[in-house]
Short mmCIF file of all heavy atoms in Angstrom, two decimals:
data_model
loop_
_atom_site.label_atom_id
_atom_site.label_comp_id
_atom_site.label_asym_id
_atom_site.label_seq_id
_atom_site.Cartn_x
_atom_site.Cartn_y
_atom_site.Cartn_z
N ALA A 84 -13.93 -27.95 -18.80
CA ALA A 84 -14.59 -26.86 -18.07
C ALA A 84 -13.63 -26.19 -17.09
O ALA A 84 -13.62 -24.97 -16.97
CB ALA A 84 -15.81 -27.40 -17.33
N ILE A 85 -12.80 -26.99 -16.42
CA ILE A 85 -11.84 -26.42 -15.47
C ILE A 85 -10.77 -25.63 -16.22
O ILE A 85 -10.42 -24.52 -15.83
CB ILE A 85 -11.20 -27.53 -14.59
CG1 ILE A 85 -12.26 -28.16 -13.70
CG2 ILE A 85 -10.05 -26.97 -13.76
CD1 ILE A 85 -11.81 -29.43 -12.98
N ARG A 86 -10.28 -26.19 -17.32
CA ARG A 86 -9.23 -25.52 -18.10
C ARG A 86 -9.74 -24.20 -18.67
O ARG A 86 -9.04 -23.19 -18.67
CB ARG A 86 -8.75 -26.42 -19.23
CG ARG A 86 -7.55 -25.83 -19.99
CD ARG A 86 -6.95 -26.80 -21.00
NE ARG A 86 -6.36 -27.96 -20.33
CZ ARG A 86 -6.80 -29.21 -20.46
NH1 ARG A 86 -7.81 -29.48 -21.25
NH2 ARG A 86 -6.23 -30.19 -19.81
N ASP A 87 -11.00 -24.20 -19.16
CA ASP A 87 -11.57 -23.00 -19.79
C ASP A 87 -12.27 -22.08 -18.80
O ASP A 87 -12.87 -21.09 -19.20
CB ASP A 87 -12.57 -23.41 -20.89
CG ASP A 87 -11.91 -24.26 -21.97
OD1 ASP A 87 -10.67 -24.23 -22.08
OD2 ASP A 87 -12.66 -24.96 -22.70
N GLY A 88 -12.20 -22.40 -17.51
CA GLY A 88 -12.92 -21.64 -16.49
C GLY A 88 -12.30 -20.29 -16.15
O GLY A 88 -12.83 -19.57 -15.31
N GLY A 89 -11.19 -19.92 -16.76
CA GLY A 89 -10.57 -18.63 -16.49
C GLY A 89 -9.86 -18.57 -15.14
O GLY A 89 -9.61 -17.49 -14.62
N LEU A 90 -9.54 -19.73 -14.59
CA LEU A 90 -8.88 -19.76 -13.28
C LEU A 90 -7.37 -19.96 -13.40
O LEU A 90 -6.67 -19.97 -12.40
CB LEU A 90 -9.48 -20.89 -12.43
CG LEU A 90 -10.97 -20.78 -12.14
CD1 LEU A 90 -11.50 -22.08 -11.53
CD2 LEU A 90 -11.23 -19.63 -11.20
N GLY A 91 -6.89 -20.16 -14.62
CA GLY A 91 -5.45 -20.38 -14.82
C GLY A 91 -5.01 -21.74 -14.31
O GLY A 91 -3.88 -21.90 -13.87
N LEU A 92 -5.89 -22.72 -14.41
CA LEU A 92 -5.58 -24.07 -13.92
C LEU A 92 -5.45 -25.04 -15.09
O LEU A 92 -6.12 -24.88 -16.10
CB LEU A 92 -6.68 -24.55 -12.97
CG LEU A 92 -6.90 -23.70 -11.72
CD1 LEU A 92 -8.11 -24.19 -10.95
CD2 LEU A 92 -5.67 -23.71 -10.84
N ASN A 93 -4.59 -26.04 -14.92
CA ASN A 93 -4.36 -27.02 -15.97
C ASN A 93 -4.62 -28.43 -15.42
O ASN A 93 -3.72 -29.08 -14.91
CB ASN A 93 -2.92 -26.89 -16.49
CG ASN A 93 -2.72 -27.66 -17.77
OD1 ASN A 93 -3.68 -28.05 -18.42
ND2 ASN A 93 -1.47 -27.89 -18.12
N PRO A 94 -5.87 -28.91 -15.53
CA PRO A 94 -6.22 -30.22 -14.97
C PRO A 94 -5.71 -31.38 -15.82
O PRO A 94 -5.42 -31.21 -17.01
CB PRO A 94 -7.75 -30.19 -14.98
CG PRO A 94 -8.09 -29.29 -16.12
CD PRO A 94 -7.00 -28.25 -16.17
N ALA A 95 -5.59 -32.54 -15.19
CA ALA A 95 -5.17 -33.75 -15.90
C ALA A 95 -6.06 -34.90 -15.42
O ALA A 95 -6.22 -35.12 -14.22
CB ALA A 95 -3.71 -34.06 -15.60
N ALA A 96 -6.63 -35.64 -16.39
CA ALA A 96 -7.50 -36.77 -16.05
C ALA A 96 -6.66 -37.98 -15.70
O ALA A 96 -5.60 -38.23 -16.27
CB ALA A 96 -8.41 -37.08 -17.22
N ASP A 97 -7.14 -38.74 -14.71
CA ASP A 97 -6.48 -39.97 -14.28
C ASP A 97 -7.60 -40.95 -13.95
O ASP A 97 -8.08 -40.99 -12.81
CB ASP A 97 -5.60 -39.66 -13.05
CG ASP A 97 -4.91 -40.90 -12.51
OD1 ASP A 97 -4.89 -41.93 -13.22
OD2 ASP A 97 -4.39 -40.84 -11.38
N GLY A 98 -8.10 -41.65 -14.98
CA GLY A 98 -9.26 -42.52 -14.79
C GLY A 98 -10.50 -41.65 -14.60
O GLY A 98 -10.75 -40.75 -15.39
N GLN A 99 -11.23 -41.89 -13.51
CA GLN A 99 -12.42 -41.08 -13.23
C GLN A 99 -12.10 -39.89 -12.32
O GLN A 99 -12.99 -39.16 -11.92
CB GLN A 99 -13.51 -41.93 -12.59
CG GLN A 99 -14.37 -42.62 -13.63
CD GLN A 99 -15.55 -43.32 -13.00
OE1 GLN A 99 -15.55 -44.53 -12.89
NE2 GLN A 99 -16.55 -42.57 -12.61
N THR A 100 -10.83 -39.70 -12.05
CA THR A 100 -10.40 -38.59 -11.20
C THR A 100 -9.71 -37.54 -12.06
O THR A 100 -8.90 -37.87 -12.92
CB THR A 100 -9.42 -39.09 -10.11
OG1 THR A 100 -10.06 -40.10 -9.35
CG2 THR A 100 -8.98 -37.96 -9.21
N VAL A 101 -10.03 -36.28 -11.83
CA VAL A 101 -9.36 -35.18 -12.51
C VAL A 101 -8.49 -34.49 -11.46
O VAL A 101 -9.01 -34.00 -10.45
CB VAL A 101 -10.37 -34.18 -13.14
CG1 VAL A 101 -9.65 -33.00 -13.76
CG2 VAL A 101 -11.23 -34.89 -14.17
N ARG A 102 -7.18 -34.49 -11.68
CA ARG A 102 -6.25 -33.84 -10.75
C ARG A 102 -6.02 -32.41 -11.21
O ARG A 102 -5.79 -32.17 -12.40
CB ARG A 102 -4.93 -34.59 -10.71
CG ARG A 102 -5.07 -36.00 -10.22
CD ARG A 102 -3.72 -36.68 -9.98
NE ARG A 102 -3.88 -38.07 -9.62
CZ ARG A 102 -4.33 -38.49 -8.44
NH1 ARG A 102 -4.65 -37.64 -7.53
NH2 ARG A 102 -4.45 -39.78 -8.20
N VAL A 103 -6.09 -31.47 -10.26
CA VAL A 103 -5.92 -30.06 -10.58
C VAL A 103 -4.81 -29.49 -9.70
O VAL A 103 -5.05 -29.09 -8.56
CB VAL A 103 -7.23 -29.27 -10.35
CG1 VAL A 103 -7.09 -27.84 -10.83
CG2 VAL A 103 -8.41 -29.96 -11.02
N PRO A 104 -3.57 -29.44 -10.23
CA PRO A 104 -2.49 -28.83 -9.43
C PRO A 104 -2.69 -27.31 -9.36
O PRO A 104 -3.12 -26.68 -10.33
CB PRO A 104 -1.22 -29.19 -10.21
CG PRO A 104 -1.67 -29.55 -11.57
CD PRO A 104 -3.11 -29.96 -11.50
N ILE A 105 -2.41 -26.75 -8.20
CA ILE A 105 -2.55 -25.31 -8.00
C ILE A 105 -1.15 -24.70 -8.15
O ILE A 105 -0.29 -24.90 -7.29
CB ILE A 105 -3.12 -24.98 -6.59
CG1 ILE A 105 -4.41 -25.76 -6.33
CG2 ILE A 105 -3.31 -23.49 -6.42
CD1 ILE A 105 -5.56 -25.43 -7.25
N PRO A 106 -0.92 -23.96 -9.25
CA PRO A 106 0.41 -23.40 -9.46
C PRO A 106 0.72 -22.25 -8.51
O PRO A 106 -0.19 -21.63 -7.95
CB PRO A 106 0.36 -22.89 -10.91
CG PRO A 106 -1.07 -22.72 -11.22
CD PRO A 106 -1.84 -23.64 -10.34
N GLN A 107 2.00 -22.00 -8.32
CA GLN A 107 2.47 -20.88 -7.51
C GLN A 107 1.99 -19.58 -8.16
O GLN A 107 1.99 -19.46 -9.38
CB GLN A 107 4.01 -20.93 -7.50
CG GLN A 107 4.75 -20.28 -6.38
CD GLN A 107 4.38 -20.69 -4.99
OE1 GLN A 107 3.26 -20.49 -4.56
NE2 GLN A 107 5.33 -21.22 -4.26
N LEU A 108 1.55 -18.62 -7.38
CA LEU A 108 1.08 -17.35 -7.93
C LEU A 108 2.26 -16.41 -8.20
O LEU A 108 3.15 -16.29 -7.37
CB LEU A 108 0.12 -16.67 -6.95
CG LEU A 108 -1.22 -17.32 -6.73
CD1 LEU A 108 -2.00 -16.57 -5.66
CD2 LEU A 108 -2.03 -17.34 -8.01
N THR A 109 2.20 -15.75 -9.35
CA THR A 109 3.23 -14.75 -9.66
C THR A 109 2.83 -13.44 -8.97
O THR A 109 1.68 -13.24 -8.60
CB THR A 109 3.32 -14.50 -11.18
OG1 THR A 109 2.06 -13.96 -11.62
CG2 THR A 109 3.62 -15.78 -11.94
N ALA A 110 3.80 -12.52 -8.85
CA ALA A 110 3.53 -11.22 -8.22
C ALA A 110 2.46 -10.47 -9.01
O ALA A 110 1.57 -9.83 -8.44
CB ALA A 110 4.81 -10.40 -8.14
N GLU A 111 2.53 -10.57 -10.34
CA GLU A 111 1.55 -9.90 -11.20
C GLU A 111 0.15 -10.46 -10.96
O GLU A 111 -0.82 -9.71 -10.84
CB GLU A 111 1.96 -10.09 -12.66
CG GLU A 111 1.07 -9.39 -13.65
CD GLU A 111 1.52 -9.66 -15.09
OE1 GLU A 111 2.71 -9.51 -15.38
OE2 GLU A 111 0.65 -10.02 -15.90
N ARG A 112 0.05 -11.77 -10.87
CA ARG A 112 -1.24 -12.42 -10.65
C ARG A 112 -1.79 -12.07 -9.26
O ARG A 112 -2.99 -11.88 -9.09
CB ARG A 112 -1.08 -13.94 -10.82
CG ARG A 112 -2.37 -14.72 -10.64
CD ARG A 112 -3.31 -14.56 -11.81
NE ARG A 112 -4.48 -15.41 -11.61
CZ ARG A 112 -5.72 -15.01 -11.76
NH1 ARG A 112 -5.98 -13.80 -12.18
NH2 ARG A 112 -6.72 -15.83 -11.55
N ARG A 113 -0.90 -11.97 -8.28
CA ARG A 113 -1.33 -11.60 -6.92
C ARG A 113 -1.96 -10.20 -6.92
O ARG A 113 -2.99 -9.98 -6.31
CB ARG A 113 -0.16 -11.62 -5.94
CG ARG A 113 0.29 -13.00 -5.57
CD ARG A 113 1.49 -12.95 -4.61
NE ARG A 113 2.15 -14.23 -4.53
CZ ARG A 113 1.74 -15.23 -3.79
NH1 ARG A 113 0.67 -15.11 -3.06
NH2 ARG A 113 2.40 -16.37 -3.78
N SER A 114 -1.31 -9.25 -7.60
CA SER A 114 -1.86 -7.89 -7.61
C SER A 114 -3.17 -7.85 -8.40
O SER A 114 -4.10 -7.12 -8.04
CB SER A 114 -0.85 -6.88 -8.15
OG SER A 114 -0.51 -7.17 -9.48
N GLU A 115 -3.27 -8.68 -9.44
CA GLU A 115 -4.52 -8.77 -10.20
C GLU A 115 -5.64 -9.33 -9.32
O GLU A 115 -6.76 -8.82 -9.33
CB GLU A 115 -4.27 -9.70 -11.40
CG GLU A 115 -5.37 -9.75 -12.41
CD GLU A 115 -5.03 -10.71 -13.55
OE1 GLU A 115 -3.93 -10.57 -14.15
OE2 GLU A 115 -5.86 -11.59 -13.83
N LEU A 116 -5.32 -10.35 -8.53
CA LEU A 116 -6.31 -10.94 -7.62
C LEU A 116 -6.72 -9.93 -6.54
O LEU A 116 -7.89 -9.87 -6.15
CB LEU A 116 -5.76 -12.21 -6.97
CG LEU A 116 -5.65 -13.44 -7.86
CD1 LEU A 116 -4.93 -14.57 -7.14
CD2 LEU A 116 -7.01 -13.89 -8.34
#
Side-chain angles (χ1 to χ4, degrees):
I85 294 169
R86 186 172 295 115
D87 300 341
L90 300 169
L92 300 174
N93 193 16
D97 179 13
Q99 273 188 255
T100 302
V101 176
R102 298 188 185 287
V103 187
I105 307 297
Q107 203 54 298
L108 291 176
T109 63
E111 183 182 311
R112 181 73 176 133
R113 286 178 195 280
S114 62
E115 189 181 308
L116 288 173

